[in-house]
Amino acid sequence: MTERPLAVLGATGYTGQLVCRQARELGLPLRLVGRRPEALQALAEAGEEVRAADARDRDALVRAFSGCFAVISCAGPFLALGTEPVEAALEARVHYLDSSGEQPFARIVYERFDGAARERGVVLLTSFGFDFVPGDLAARLAAEDREPPESIVVAYDTSGLATSRGTRQTLGHVLAQEQVAYEGGTLVTSSFGATTRRVRFPEGEKSVIEWGGTEPLTVPRHTDVRTVRSYVQLPKLAARAGALGRLAAPFVRRL
Ligand SMILES: NC(=O)c1ccc[n+]([C@@H]2O[C@H](COP(=O)([O-])OP(=O)(O)OC[C@H]3O[C@@H](n4cnc5c(N)ncnc54)[C@H](OP(=O)(O)O)[C@@H]3O)[C@@H](O)[C@H]2O)c1
């Protein structure tokens, strides 16, 4: 196993602390990175490193990531805070993962940074959380032995709407963002609630609403398919608020 540490940007947050806990269980050496050094120091366990860096300060991030084998960024909203950490990871030649669930940010990572990442041998693995790893893997599995499928529909069932503070704040931004679907072999403009459909889940059929999953971006990268759309099952009120998109965004941020 590598002796170089894993950097966790946003280590003081809800997701950052979960990542640190899991990394410790795996025996990975940690470097806690964030904008509040005292708070990081209070969280650091014996032998763990601490570096101060604001997510918008590229040079400080390069210094904070240098010498690590990978960085996991948990500092969102990513469309606002996510770009400099990617640039810094590329400059420091450190593999990069994040907990983003923002489709437009994933598009930036794939479209703006893909070339530099390949050139430098750096892995960029965005949206590497509940949003949207399961959908991407399930799509790939469903396509096995059926290639080329004409269309892939990814749908998430939800059993409640418990969300962390950062997720609610980010959701308020996501609702106001442009999103895309993959239709007829190309990316087309879409929006939260642009289409709805009925989907058969293990517990029965439910209505789902289109949302900004990253599967329309990721699935065509590994599977020969013409159409990919991502859906979520939401309680009626949340689905209606979501469909209001930009209008609902400021209220969701305050929840
Ligand atoms: N994909 C998924 O399944 C999934 C699941 C959970 C969360 N998320 C996403 O992950 C992100 C974090 O969520 P959360 O609930 O963990 O949020 P959180 O508890 O509010 O934590 C946010 C973290 O970001 C740090 N941060 C904020 N602004 C910063 C800046 N300018 N410079 C450096 N650090 C900064 C915060 O540091 P301070 O402590 O100094 O404020 C904190 O450590 C959100 O975008 C959320 O949507 C995704």
Side-chain angles (χ1 to χ4, degrees):
M1 188 175 289
T2 176
E3 285 306 307
R4 288 189 292 154
L6 169 69
V8 180
L9 173 63
T12 52
Y14 172 77
T15 312
Q17 290 189 46
L18 290 178
V19 169
C20 289
R21 195 185 311 159
Q22 189 64 35
R24 286 176 189 127
E25 278 175 25
L26 292 170
L28 298 174
L30 278 177
R31 182 180 292 175
L32 312 189
V33 184
R35 59 184 169 176
R36 293 185 299 126
E38 314 78 34
L40 293 167
Q41 209 69 60
L43 287 171
E45 296 194 352
E48 291 178 356
E49 302 173 15
V50 165
R51 295 282 193 285
D54 191 285
R56 294 189 177 96
D57 185 342
R58 190 169 166 276
D59 293 341
L61 292 168
V62 173
R63 288 193 294 276
F65 297 165
S66 287
C68 290
F69 76 90
V71 54
I72 301 185
S73 176
C74 304
F78 285 81
L79 213 46
L81 295 175
T83 310
E84 282 86 355
V86 178
E87 288 173 348
L90 284 169
E91 186 162 336
R93 293 181 189 263
V94 166
H95 299 307
Y96 167 94
L97 302 87
D98 68 47
S99 68
S100 169
E102 295 167 61
Q103 193 209 59
F105 176 71
R107 238 184 126 183
I108 289 174
V109 174
Y110 287 121
E111 293 177 4
R112 194 186 300 171
F113 298 114
D114 188 62
R118 286 175 193 275
E119 200 181 284
R120 292 165 191 226
V122 169
V123 172
L124 299 181
L125 208 41
T126 184
S127 300
F128 200 63
F130 167 74
D131 311 339
F132 289 95
V133 172
D136 186 62
L137 293 179
R140 180 60 230 154
L141 284 174
E144 296 280 316
D145 304 325
R146 290 190 183 88
E147 281 196 82
E150 178 61 26
S151 167
I152 290 181
V153 169
V154 176
Y156 291 82
D157 195 3
T158 54
S159 57
L161 269 186
T163 51
S164 65
R165 183 181 59 117
T167 296
R168 284 192 299 279
Q169 282 173 350
T170 297
L171 197 57
H173 289 267
V174 166
L175 289 174
Q177 292 166 0
E178 296 292 333
Q179 71 183 56
V180 291
Y182 191 72
E183 189 72 54
T186 188
L187 293 176
V188 295
T189 304
S190 184
S191 62
F192 195 99
T195 61
T196 57
R197 59 193 305 147
R198 300 278 294 171
V199 168
R200 191 160 34 85
F201 290 105
E203 309 79 35
E205 205 178 272
K206 297 180 183 178
S207 293
V208 292
I209 178 167
E210 187 168 349
W211 72 338
T214 55
E215 295 89 355
L217 303 176
T218 59
V219 174
R221 294 172 73 87
H222 54 65
T223 297
D224 182 13
V225 61
R226 302 283 297 161
T227 294
V228 183
R229 286 185 187 263
S230 184
Y231 293 84
V232 66
Q233 182 275 323
L234 289 177
K236 272 201 181 101
L237 195 61
R240 280 197 198 119
L244 289 173
R246 284 164 200 275
L247 295 178
F251 302 104
V252 176
R253 264 175 242 161
R254 275 188 231 131
L255 288 176

